[in-house]
Amino acid sequence: MSWLDKIPFSVLVILSLTLGLAPFTPAPHLIEKIGMLVSGNLNKSIDIFDLVMHASPMALLVMKMGRSSVR
């Protein structure tokens, strides 16, 4: 996990805010895809890819915060 330690927090925060919340209107893709996942409508491969793409910066940020709090 040393590769994660090399990524600055600022980069992950900016990626999380921009990619995680894009497009800003009418609703962020991440919120839309999580709603589809909860309702059971997330069955197209493009929707699954979209969820992973938009959620990955936030997941990396959470992982980095977890690693930094252990030290």
Side-chain angles (χ1 to χ4, degrees):
M1 296 291 286
S2 63
W3 59 271
L4 185 59
D5 296 333
K6 295 177 185 175
I7 303 172
F9 270 109
S10 59
V11 170
L12 289 176
V13 168
I14 290 169
L15 282 174
S16 295
L17 291 174
T18 56
L19 188 59
L21 298 176
F24 299 103
T25 57
H29 270 337
L30 188 58
I31 303 299
E32 180 182 329
K33 299 304 177 190
I34 289 173
M36 288 174 70
L37 180 66
V38 170
S39 68
N41 293 331
L42 193 70
N43 49 15
K44 294 181 184 175
S45 57
I46 189 70
D47 291 332
I48 295 168
F49 172 75
D50 219 18
L51 174 65
V52 170
M53 186 184 70
H54 286 280
S56 59
M58 289 185 188
L60 288 173
L61 181 61
V62 168
M63 288 170 44
K64 185 165 177 83
M65 288 176 9
R67 282 186 55 83
S68 68
S69 69
V70 172
R71 293 183 199 172

